[in-house]
Amino acid sequence: MFSFAVIILISCMSGAAAAQSNGNFQVDTITVGQNSIDEGDPVTITYTIKNVGATGKKDIILENNEGDVINRTRQRITNGSNFTRTVQWENTPERPRKKAFPTVRTPDDVDSEEIKILWSEFQIIDFTAESIEPVDGKNVQLNYTIQNIGSEGNTTNITIENNEEDVIV
């Protein structure tokens, strides 16, 4: 019984020693080519991993918001050395997403960067036309509310047409 406990203790200690001998991969930097992109446009992501432990070989994963892999590499990095990779992310998010967070993950560390997804869309919230007497040539009062539901803070021209597609406003 005593020898069984000693064997387990030795096994646990050698597992911890093995984990320490495989390096400590820290995300040193992650940068994106642009802090904002039009929806669906590709973006360049560059990351640097620094090994602050013993020489080791580990998976380095670049993933999107949902955890889907954009790029995966298994890399050997010696103690104190860096590994830098630049990746083109082709299938970036589209509406209704307003932000994306590409994330670099190692077994030892994780870091991400924010990208604003730009798209323009306006929505009619309310539209009413009021007239006391619907007579040809009389003024009609139009009340409307239009909201910007996109991610870009911009303006747009509004055109109001009648049934014959004549521009009214």
Side-chain angles (χ1 to χ4, degrees):
M1 182 77 160
F2 179 75
S3 63
F4 180 68
V6 171
I7 290 172
I8 291 174
L9 182 58
I10 291 171
S11 174
C12 291
M13 286 174 39
S14 42
Q20 289 176 354
S21 67
N22 197 18
N24 185 347
F25 286 19
Q26 298 296 306
V27 180
D28 190 44
T29 60
I30 176 173
T31 57
V32 293
Q34 306 96 286
N35 290 332
S36 60
I37 60 170
D38 290 332
E39 62 177 328
D41 281 358
V43 65
T44 302
I45 302 165
T46 302
Y47 61 85
T48 300
I49 306 297
K50 182 175 181 104
N51 184 359
V52 296
T55 297
K57 188 173 192 176
K58 295 185 180 188
D59 284 339
I60 302 167
I61 301 169
L62 178 62
E63 58 191 30
N64 65 15
N65 297 33
E66 288 78 34
D68 299 326
V69 174
I70 299 168
N71 180 267
R72 176 189 303 262
T73 186
R74 185 151 180 84
Q75 188 64 40
R76 181 180 186 277
I77 308 174
T78 58
N79 177 318
S81 295
N82 294 334
F83 168 75
T84 300
R85 168 156 282 180
T86 299
V87 175
Q88 185 81 1
W89 183 12
E90 296 292 338
N91 300 314
T92 59
E94 297 182 1
R95 65 185 77 191
R97 177 140 347 230
K98 294 184 178 184
K99 293 182 181 178
F101 298 92
T103 301
V104 178
R105 183 178 308 280
T106 74
D108 309 309
D109 196 17
V110 63
D111 197 6
S112 64
E113 186 68 28
E114 179 180 310
I115 301 171
K116 185 174 182 184
I117 308 297
L118 302 177
W119 51 276
S120 180
E121 185 172 333
F122 294 84
Q123 180 178 28
I124 298 172
I125 305 298
D126 178 50
F127 186 88
T128 57
E130 297 177 14
S131 173
I132 296 174
E133 297 177 27
V135 179
D136 286 341
K138 291 280 187 172
N139 289 336
V140 175
Q141 181 176 341
L142 301 175
N143 295 309
Y144 53 88
T145 303
I146 299 174
Q147 182 179 15
N148 180 353
I149 61 170
S151 63
E152 291 187 272
N154 60 9
T155 60
T156 190
N157 292 325
I158 299 170
T159 303
I160 299 175
E161 301 173 348
N162 62 13
N163 290 344
E164 287 80 39
E165 297 183 9
D166 295 326
V167 175
I168 297 172
V169 176

